[in-house]
Structures are given as structure tokens and as C-alpha cells.
Amino acid sequence: MKPDHESLHLLHRLHRLHQRVFADPEVRAVLDAGFVQLALELRSRPEPPHATCTVPIELFTGVEQDRITAASEDRVTADRHDDVRLCRLFLLRRGARMAVPERHRNSVQRLVSYRGSGSIHQGVPGGGPESLGPRAIYSPGADDSDLARHWDIVPVGVWHYPQAHGREDWATVTFHSAAEGEIVDEFWNQRRHSWSVRNPKEER
């Protein structure tokens, strides 16, 4: 979904993350090194057409730590979804798409296009993965800071998948509200019309 002016505090946080990703030399060095390794991984095998890794969330500590005072438990839960507790790098081969839709059962995903461009095919809350609509996302230029053009938000439990445009591999930086040891990723099995779950806690 497109970031909009209905959530001003969220736009403010996205702007701060945007500045950290693109304007902080220390952060850029870590991200660039991570994408170099992912490119090597992609070149070493034909499938799957994507590679991913995590980067230390400490790089972004302090960016999203302000809280809104909550008067109810529901509001506290909503504020947790505004947190940044996990950062993943994702590299998708040019012209390719992720093989199956996925959703994050307990996490909001906020994605920014770092290099290249592509589309996020996304459903609606409570909907299935059968008909997902695309939204194009582009990497920023030197003087381009239009958050709505470069960022995408996937709410908790919404099916989605990325598809890279054809000119170059698509590098994205994704931020999650769930931590690495807590996030529950689900992948749609089209043949069985069911989904498989990956929970890091269950893998230990």
C-alpha cells in the first residue's frame, strides 16, 4: 500500500529511515556489502531467483524508538507495529518474480527500493493470494525523496510478492515490526491451496 498523509507520524518515521538508508555513509557501506554478497549468491545458482540476508538492526537504533502514549492495550499493539525490529536485504533477479506469494502473520513490512525497480503485488487485509494487484516502486535519484514513489507498506497478514523490472536486479531494504526470532513468514502452496509456515523459534 502507498504511504499517505493519513498517518503523519508514520511518514515522519519513514522519512528518518529514508535518510538513514541513503544519506548515512556507515549504513550505505553495510548495505552495499550485503548486496554484493547476495549478487554472488544469485550468480552461483539458477533458482530461486532471489537471495536475502539480515543486517544488524542496531544500525537503525534510535530511528524508530519514539512512542505514542497509549491509553488502551489495542493502541499499544498498534504502536508495536510501528516499530522497526528487523532489517532484511532482498535481491531479486531482473525480470523475475518471487515464486509464490507470502505474508507475515505478525509483522508490518515497510520496503524501500535501494537499486533498480519493480512492483509489489499485494492483496487486501483478510483476502486470499489469488488476485494481487501490482504497485510499481522505484529507487530514488540524487534529488528525489518522494516517499510514496520509493516506499511500500504491507500490513500484517496480507499476501504479497515482488516482481523485478527487466533492466537490472532489484535490491530492496525491508523493515519489519517483528524481531528476527519472532517473525512468522507464510508461503502459499498453489498446488495444495494451503500455506507453509516458517517460524525461527520453531527451527531452533
Side-chain angles (χ1 to χ4, degrees):
M1 60 183 278
K2 178 180 177 181
D4 57 40
H5 290 281
E6 292 182 5
S7 301
L8 293 180
H9 73 282
L10 179 56
L11 283 177
H12 177 63
R13 293 178 179 186
L14 286 184
H15 178 73
R16 294 167 68 185
L17 280 174
H18 190 92
Q19 291 297 106
R20 202 61 159 300
V21 168
F22 293 102
D24 188 304
E26 178 186 2
V27 173
R28 289 294 296 263
V30 172
L31 300 183
D32 288 340
F35 282 121
V36 167
Q37 292 302 311
L38 294 182
L40 292 173
E41 184 179 336
L42 272 189
R43 285 198 288 268
S44 70
R45 53 172 168 75
E47 296 291 338
H50 64 270
T52 185
C53 68
T54 61
V55 298
I57 195 61
E58 289 77 15
L59 287 173
F60 306 95
T61 298
V63 175
E64 294 267 308
Q65 300 307 313
D66 50 318
R67 296 289 186 274
I68 300 173
T69 302
S72 68
E73 184 176 351
D74 289 341
R75 185 57 183 272
V76 170
T77 301
D79 289 344
R80 286 181 187 149
H81 289 322
D82 285 346
D83 291 348
V84 166
R85 304 177 65 203
L86 170 64
C87 179
R88 289 172 172 170
L89 306 186
F90 190 88
L91 187 64
L92 181 61
R93 189 173 288 125
R94 64 180 183 176
R97 55 155 287 183
M98 193 169 178
V100 296
E102 67 171 340
R103 66 180 178 181
H104 312 291
R105 183 190 292 175
N106 59 341
S107 183
V108 174
Q109 173 182 288
R110 297 178 178 91
L111 172 149
V112 64
S113 183
Y114 188 75
R115 186 169 59 248
S117 62
S119 294
I120 299 296
H121 296 249
Q122 183 177 160
V124 297
E130 296 84 4
S131 56
L132 309 185
R135 178 173 178 265
I137 310 294
Y138 302 92
S139 298
D143 300 317
D144 187 359
S145 59
D146 182 358
L147 297 184
R149 179 177 168 84
H150 312 308
W151 285 81
D152 187 71
I153 302 172
V154 180
V156 172
V158 170
W159 292 103
H160 62 282
Y161 68 84
Q163 182 171 14
H165 295 167
R167 293 186 177 181
E168 61 180 318
D169 295 345
W170 190 24
T172 59
V173 183
T174 60
F175 296 95
H176 286 276
S177 59
E180 182 176 4
E182 300 173 355
I183 190 169
V184 179
D185 301 319
E186 298 178 342
F187 301 89
W188 181 250
N189 187 322
Q190 294 177 327
R191 289 181 297 179
R192 297 181 181 178
H193 296 286
S194 61
W195 56 83
S196 58
V197 179
R198 186 183 72 82
N199 186 333
K201 286 185 176 180
E202 297 174 355
E203 295 175 356
R204 295 176 181 174

